[in-house]
Amino acid sequence: MTTIHLITGGERSGKSAYAEAEALRLSPQPVYIATARIWDEEFAERVRRHQERRGPEWTNIEEEKALSRHELSGRTVLIDCVTLWATNFFFDLEQDIDRALEEMKAELERLFAQEAHFILVTNEIGLGGVPMDAVQRRFTDLQGWINQYIAARADRVTLMVCGIPVPVKGAPL
């Protein structure tokens, strides 16, 4: 049976640490799928800190877009994060948010066809007001729509606020 848990919140709200603890609670050997592209040295350092936090019990996969190409059936899978995954589609498709959203939804359907426990980390970037430029506004739209899509499919949604998990939808497994 497939289960989906979406964990959302602002930057530095504790999303990743909470998601990792949840994955380890569900499995002694979870899978971690990192979706980030390394854009600069500061971001490389951020990724390194995330990697150091995880121990040898994790199966680590780096995958920028094709999440479903990995055999994940029967596993607990943490995908961190949807925002960076969406960024990859957004820029690869030249900021065409309709096409990006369509391709992301199709990829998620292929992924969720595998029977696994999925934990997805995302950002609530729309809480900070209207962005100043058109590119940021288009990306905020894409992010909001893909978050809504995943939340509608999810069994659980948790909002992280100051390191505190606030249940939004569903009950813990």
Side-chain angles (χ1 to χ4, degrees):
M1 181 172 129
T2 299
T3 62
I4 302 166
H5 182 183
L6 180 64
I7 299 170
T8 189
E11 285 193 35
R12 296 290 176 250
S13 61
K15 299 179 305 289
S16 293
Y18 176 73
E20 290 169 13
E22 281 291 291
L24 288 168
R25 184 179 67 78
L26 293 172
S27 172
Q29 294 184 307
V31 176
Y32 188 101
I33 299 182
T35 61
R37 287 182 182 163
I38 307 302
W39 300 98
D40 57 32
E41 200 56 42
E42 181 275 332
F43 196 77
E45 177 61 22
R46 184 180 293 237
V47 168
R48 188 190 59 72
R49 283 193 308 271
H50 272 249
Q51 290 169 338
E52 284 179 353
R53 192 170 58 220
R54 295 187 304 273
E57 62 274 19
W58 291 88
T59 299
N60 294 295
I61 299 171
E62 292 185 20
E63 181 58 61
E64 294 180 0
K65 289 169 64 178
L67 305 175
S68 67
R69 75 181 182 99
H70 302 279
E71 175 51 49
L72 303 166
S73 296
R75 305 289 305 267
T76 294
V77 182
L78 169 55
I79 298 167
D80 197 355
C81 81
V82 172
T83 305
L84 295 171
W85 185 63
T87 301
N88 299 337
F89 282 90
F90 183 72
F91 286 109
D92 287 355
L93 297 172
E94 299 176 348
Q95 303 170 24
D96 181 337
I97 60 174
D98 293 328
R99 190 164 160 222
L101 187 60
E102 180 182 311
E103 288 192 22
M104 292 172 71
K105 286 179 178 180
E107 181 58 28
L108 286 170
E109 290 308 314
R110 288 187 295 271
L111 177 69
F112 296 155
Q114 298 186 49
E115 291 192 9
H117 294 293
F118 293 104
I119 301 168
L120 296 95
V121 174
T122 194
N123 289 285
E124 283 298 326
I125 63 174
L127 291 174
V130 179
M132 297 275 294
D133 71 52
V135 172
Q136 290 175 325
R137 285 191 298 274
R138 281 195 302 275
F139 183 76
T140 299
D141 289 347
L142 174 63
Q143 180 69 57
W145 290 328
I146 199 63
N147 283 353
Q148 290 180 47
Y149 182 79
I150 297 168
R153 295 281 322 269
D155 302 284
R156 290 180 65 196
V157 176
T158 302
L159 173 65
M160 294 300 296
V161 180
C162 302
I164 299 169
V166 180
V168 175
K169 177 182 177 183
L173 297 175

